[in-house]
Amino acid sequence: MIATTKPASSRRSKPGDGSQAKQEQLAGLTADQLPKLTTNQGLRIPDNHNSLKAGVRGPTLLEDFILREKITHFDHERIPERVVHARGSAAHGYFEVYKSMSQFTCADFLQDPDQKTPVFVRFSTVAGSRGSADTVRDVRGFSVKFYTREGNYDLVGNNIPVFFIQDAIKFPDLIHAVKPEPHHEMPQAASAHDTFWDFASLMPETTHMLMWAMSDRALPRSLRMMEGFGVHTFRFVNARGESHFVKFHWKPKLGVHGLAWDEAQKIAGKDPDFHRRDLWESIDAGDFPEWELGVQLIPPEKEHAFGFDLLDPTKLVPEELVPVQRIGRMVLNRNPDNFFAETEQVAFHPGHVVPGIDFSNDPLLQGRLFSYTDTQISRLGGANFHELPINKSVCPFHNFQRDGMHRQTLTRGQVAYEPHSLNDGKEFRVDGADGGFQSFPEEIDPPKVRRRSPSFDDHFTQARIFFNSQSATEKEHIVAGFRFELSKVATPAVRQRMVDNLAHVDEKLARRVAEPLGVGAPDFKAAAGRAGYRDHRYESSIEESAALSMAVRAEGSVKTRKVAILVTDGVDSASLKPIRDAIEAAGARCKIIAPRLGSVASVSKRQVEADATFVTMPSVMFDAVLVPAGAQCAEALAQNGDAVHFVLEAYKHCKAVCTVGEGVLLLATLGIGPDANAAPPGVIVADTPVTNLGDATAAIQIAKDFVAAIARHRHWDRPNLGAVPA
Ligand code: HDE
């Protein structure tokens, strides 16, 4: 049984010190009982500082088996990183269904609302190496392993509902194109280079996914604020053998939010572990991230009702046509105990299904069914990776597979084949009775062909629907995303081909993208003349879909949002306290940021302890910034370049900014003064003289306005941001 079932509270981990479980194990042992350092054979090691030498100044002796064992093991500590999705962060949790889904599927874990199914979830970037930064522009993997009573079910999805290519045979080409270029291994974790856009521009089927990848979806604010998608069409099959097509969705309780591109790039340098840290710290603090599992169910008779092909992974099913039903929830409540043993060694596989869930003939999915076992064999060193604790089913499993590298299971007896009569023929019988996995008996009678269905030919309609569905700011961000990436492409012909393709999505988009690229006007006809272009547009019944925009659905919670409070000597801590308390009561988390660690003296001579400095926790680590009252404090901060930069940068990244009393001095560079009514969107200028606020209502009102501004996530509509020096 895996440890996932242990209650979260008793297993909470502490940053930096491994896990509490280990401390609990050691507590209460006498010095004699404490485990001693030994070799792998259990031999006690009395000296872990000195190797065996011929004399204190002499050469090291080959005889030193303790040294050799230690160094040899160290030499082999690394395993190959994943060929894609190498950088990941994971957590344990559970899933529970809201009501029985037996009408649609017999999957056991989707039957009983009282049943909690343990899960292990790994989020990842795709292109970068294990040590690359979290906030790069990339797709995010969203893999869930459900440890069900019928065996492990893996839902191995992404945070974008469509994929770049339609057929698995193009996957190695796609990944070779996006990975660092083979001659000089640059750039790391970035698609902004020639080979990626060369491939993309020659493969118009990538267009829909490119629109998502250039949007803020590829820059999540937090792993906790991302949607997840199964991407492919799967099948649900019920106990009567009836099937529905199903699309899977994960909907985050905290809403779906992105970073600003400039911010994402800065975070990549300031804190490359930004997402990993955020996930870890939230769970550690008891702020357990939560998603609802959604399904779009499509009866078999509707398979051809949409114009596009349900088997085409470059298409989504608009929520307006088939609503997403929320059928259960997933909570992540425990950090891993050991990164390598869990996050690194976990082996997902879209082919790990349970009775009641089956595949469709999506040619991308079909290729994945081969790839994942194959890659684990190479990555985890053999065919027995299912025995690693993180991969082991919680239900018993028996078969006659045997031996192999790193085998852990000790199988007994004479029989290792089926059928057998020895041993009374009793070992692991296949009885053909009800239960177990049955493939849906879909009727097929096709010729053997190496071709694509013409129903996959439309590469632009849904790209256009996606673009139409975005807010004005989101459209701007997409334009900026394309411009940034294509500006890094050295080959003009590639830039030209790409803007020509974009003209088939939206002419204005293509023209705007082309402006700074030094290429000709987007040529609609040239794109249409190239290989790979298909002149097919399906009749879409919708032109836009609200579900595709993040801005339209900003959900308004400030839970776990991070607020920086800038202080130095002379801060008015008395007026700050009720404001801070109210912000935290709303669910946001505040940190005191000062020029140095230690404490600063408030105006009433109280000590205010700093959590971090302007330099170690810059504005990009936060969602909002508060500059409290206090003349001496505000004047000193206004002379401090790091403090001014902090506020300007937060403003430029469209975050909520609040100044109280004299704190407004920090906004002087922006020309913002004490007139609250003249403040730009998301800037709260509280000019009430709040020194020594006996009047808590004033403080609470300030906090309320500020919290409302934070809840909007970002104030993208601020004027003249290009002029802000940050
Ligand atoms: Fe993957 N993918 N993939 N992929 N994929 C892997 O398996 C592959 C695809 C996805 O957190 C690899 O264990 C092929 C789509 C995630 O450990 C590998 C094709 C989607 C993860 C592999 C695809 C994904 C992987 C590398 C085209 C979204 C990380 C390491 C046919 C639905 C899992 C590994 C984790 C990982 C192959 C396309 C998602 C090489 C051949 C589409 C989230 O097997």
Side-chain angles (χ1 to χ4, degrees):
M1 192 69 173
I2 54 162
T4 337
T5 44
K6 291 220 178 171
S9 53
S10 69
R11 303 291 322 274
R12 186 160 309 159
S13 43
K14 284 231 174 81
D17 74 348
S19 79
Q20 193 161 336
K22 185 143 191 182
Q23 290 182 353
E24 281 163 12
Q25 259 175 25
L26 301 180
L29 298 181
T30 63
D32 273 356
Q33 292 167 323
L34 284 172
K36 308 285 183 307
L37 189 72
T38 74
T39 66
N40 286 331
Q41 306 306 315
L43 188 73
R44 275 194 52 193
I45 299 175
D47 181 348
N48 192 33
H49 288 250
N50 297 295
S51 51
L52 189 67
K53 296 185 228 32
V56 285
R57 299 183 62 247
T60 302
L61 298 175
L62 185 60
E63 180 193 323
D64 191 350
F65 64 94
I66 295 177
L67 170 74
R68 279 189 286 116
E69 184 199 81
K70 187 173 177 183
I71 299 272
T72 306
H73 198 280
F74 168 77
D75 289 346
H76 297 269
E77 271 174 13
R78 292 288 171 273
I79 61 172
E81 67 173 31
R82 286 169 175 80
V83 59
V84 283
H85 296 266
R87 178 161 180 89
S89 308
H92 293 274
Y94 63 87
F95 171 81
E96 56 197 8
V97 72
Y98 292 147
K99 63 174 184 134
S100 170
M101 293 300 292
S102 61
Q103 188 190 345
F104 301 104
T105 173
C106 57
D108 173 70
F109 79 106
L110 296 176
Q111 306 300 313
D112 178 3
D114 289 333
Q115 187 188 333
K116 273 194 167 94
T117 302
V119 297
F120 187 68
V121 179
R122 183 175 181 272
F123 305 102
S124 47
T125 52
V126 180
S129 289
R130 252 191 75 178
S132 58
D134 278 342
T135 57
V136 297
R137 180 181 291 282
D138 199 354
V139 183
R140 299 301 186 285
F142 192 132
S143 309
V144 182
K145 191 179 279 296
F146 298 83
Y147 299 91
T148 89
R149 298 187 298 202
E150 296 178 309
N152 289 352
Y153 168 51
D154 293 352
L155 181 49
V156 195
N158 279 344
N159 75 330
I160 290 180
V162 289
F163 202 65
F164 289 113
I165 48 167
Q166 296 174 321
D167 191 305
I169 201 165
K170 296 310 297 166
F171 191 67
D173 297 301
L174 167 73
I175 299 307
H176 289 173
V178 72
K179 282 273 182 178
E181 298 188 6
H183 54 316
H184 54 29
E185 185 76 1
M186 289 190 280
Q188 176 57 239
S191 52
H193 57 116
D194 281 52
T195 54
F196 176 70
W197 289 99
D198 185 29
F199 177 81
S201 65
L202 292 168
M203 295 280 297
E205 69 198 57
T206 60
T207 311
H208 186 193
M209 175 103 167
L210 286 174
M211 299 296 295
W212 288 78
M214 293 304 109
S215 80
D216 295 350
R217 293 276 183 161
L219 312 171
R221 156 66 184 83
S222 158
L223 301 171
R224 303 174 293 124
M225 297 171 199
M226 298 191 318
E227 283 182 298
F229 302 93
V231 177
H232 314 282
T233 300
F234 291 88
R235 280 182 187 275
F236 266 168
V237 185
N238 67 17
R240 291 188 297 278
E242 297 156 347
S243 157
H244 276 71
F245 292 108
V246 58
K247 289 273 190 188
F248 291 109
H249 297 246
W250 290 108
K251 303 275 189 190
K253 277 285 179 69
L254 293 172
V256 191
H257 302 290
L259 296 167
W261 177 221
D262 178 62
E263 180 189 12
Q265 292 173 84
K266 286 174 173 164
I267 296 173
K270 302 277 186 188
D271 184 8
D273 305 308
F274 184 74
H275 284 150
R276 177 176 290 179
R277 190 184 312 286
D278 168 270
L279 181 68
W280 180 280
E281 289 181 352
S282 303
I283 293 174
D284 212 38
D287 290 324
F288 302 142
E290 201 173 316
W291 285 261
E292 287 187 295
L293 179 64
V295 291
Q296 288 176 295
L297 292 168
I298 299 146
E301 61 276 13
K302 286 253 177 101
E303 180 175 358
H304 302 292
F306 300 102
F308 58 89
D309 198 322
L310 276 184
L311 304 185
D312 174 356
T314 66
K315 306 293 182 296
L316 52 83
V317 178
E319 295 189 21
E320 284 72 12
L321 304 188
V322 181
V324 175
Q325 304 176 37
R326 299 183 185 219
I327 65 166
R329 72 179 190 127
M330 175 172 79
V331 178
L332 298 185
N333 61 5
R334 183 163 70 85
N335 281 316
D337 287 314
N338 183 282
F339 185 92
F340 178 78
E342 300 176 276
T343 311
E344 196 58 13
Q345 290 199 314
V346 64
F348 292 96
H349 189 340
H352 290 164
V353 287
V354 287
I357 299 182
D358 205 344
F359 317 112
S360 72
N361 295 330
D362 173 342
L364 194 68
L365 173 59
Q366 297 281 320
R368 293 179 75 200
L369 297 180
F370 161 71
S371 174
Y372 287 67
T373 307
D374 190 40
T375 208
Q376 311 305 353
I377 291 173
S378 138
R379 196 171 71 81
L380 298 169
N384 289 314
F385 57 86
H386 62 282
E387 294 184 338
L388 293 167
I390 194 67
N391 294 325
K392 225 172 176 170
S393 308
V394 293
C395 64
F397 56 97
H398 315 281
N399 56 49
F400 297 115
Q401 293 167 21
R402 50 181 284 180
D403 304 350
M405 296 269 209
H406 316 303
R407 185 68 168 178
Q408 307 288 313
T409 311
L410 196 160
T411 40
R412 293 195 167 78
Q414 182 184 14
V415 170
Y417 53 90
E418 195 278 337
H420 56 268
S421 66
L422 304 183
N423 230 353
D424 291 337
K426 276 186 182 155
E427 293 208 22
F428 315 156
R429 282 185 314 130
V430 181
D431 58 12
D434 282 354
F437 183 80
Q438 307 276 355
S439 289
F440 180 72
E442 182 181 359
E443 286 191 18
I444 45 171
D445 184 14
K448 196 189 283 180
V449 291
R450 197 180 277 283
R451 263 195 286 128
R452 225 171 267 194
S453 166
S455 55
F456 281 38
D457 274 356
D458 182 340
H459 300 146
F460 302 107
T461 303
Q462 288 207 349
R464 193 187 64 241
I465 295 173
F466 177 78
F467 190 63
N468 288 346
S469 310
Q470 307 301 304
S471 69
T473 310
E474 287 173 313
K475 284 183 176 161
E476 282 308 307
H477 288 188
I478 291 171
V479 170
F482 275 112
R483 282 179 173 180
F484 179 94
E485 298 260 319
L486 292 171
S487 299
K488 291 206 164 208
V489 171
T491 313
V494 171
R495 304 201 292 267
Q496 182 72 55
R497 262 203 314 268
M498 222 23 253
V499 296
D500 295 347
N501 284 354
L502 288 180
H504 287 264
V505 178
D506 184 285
E507 291 226 48
K508 193 165 158 224
L509 162 72
R511 259 187 284 118
R512 301 264 344 269
V513 170
E515 267 165 34
L517 296 184
V519 293
D523 188 339
F524 189 87
K525 285 208 185 102
R530 290 193 188 110
Y533 175 83
R534 303 271 185 280
D535 189 17
H536 173 75
R537 301 289 157 106
Y538 80 84
E539 282 287 318
S540 173
S541 56
I542 57 162
E543 273 305 301
E544 49 190 84
S545 164
L548 304 181
S549 159
M550 296 202 282
V552 173
R553 293 178 308 148
E555 258 147 79
S557 163
V558 299
K559 208 163 170 270
T560 75
R561 291 312 187 110
K562 298 192 170 72
V563 180
I565 303 177
L566 307 193
V567 303
T568 190
D569 291 332
V571 61
D572 182 350
S573 59
S575 70
L576 173 60
K577 185 170 184 318
I579 300 175
R580 177 182 179 159
D581 289 350
I583 295 169
E584 294 200 321
R589 304 271 177 261
C590 296
K591 282 211 186 295
I592 299 285
I593 310 295
R596 55 173 197 282
L597 288 181
S599 50
V600 300
S602 79
V603 75
S604 51
K605 304 288 174 248
R606 296 176 64 148
Q607 298 299 305
V608 179
E609 193 75 25
D611 294 309
T613 69
F614 300 131
V615 180
T616 54
M617 280 202 86
S619 90
V620 290
M621 305 287 157
F622 293 93
D623 294 291
V625 50
L626 169 69
V627 190
Q632 185 200 341
C633 166
E635 277 157 22
L637 290 181
Q639 296 305 312
N640 180 324
D642 292 328
V644 175
H645 181 264
F646 199 110
V647 179
L648 291 183
E649 194 177 50
Y651 180 85
K652 190 172 179 120
H653 294 150
C654 304
K655 296 171 180 175
V657 176
C658 175
T659 66
V660 186
E662 301 87 347
V664 74
L665 271 181
L666 274 274
L667 297 176
T669 322
L670 297 169
I672 301 172
D675 178 2
N677 295 327
V683 178
I684 316 298
V685 177
D687 55 356
T688 355
V690 279
T691 315
N692 225 349
L693 266 182
D695 175 13
T697 37
I700 285 164
Q701 187 55 47
I702 296 168
K704 219 169 148 193
D705 294 346
F706 188 34
V707 163
I710 302 169
R712 294 250 336 260
H713 177 58
R714 295 298 164 86
H715 299 266
W716 301 116
D717 46 350
R718 284 184 185 152
N720 280 336
L721 286 174
V724 178

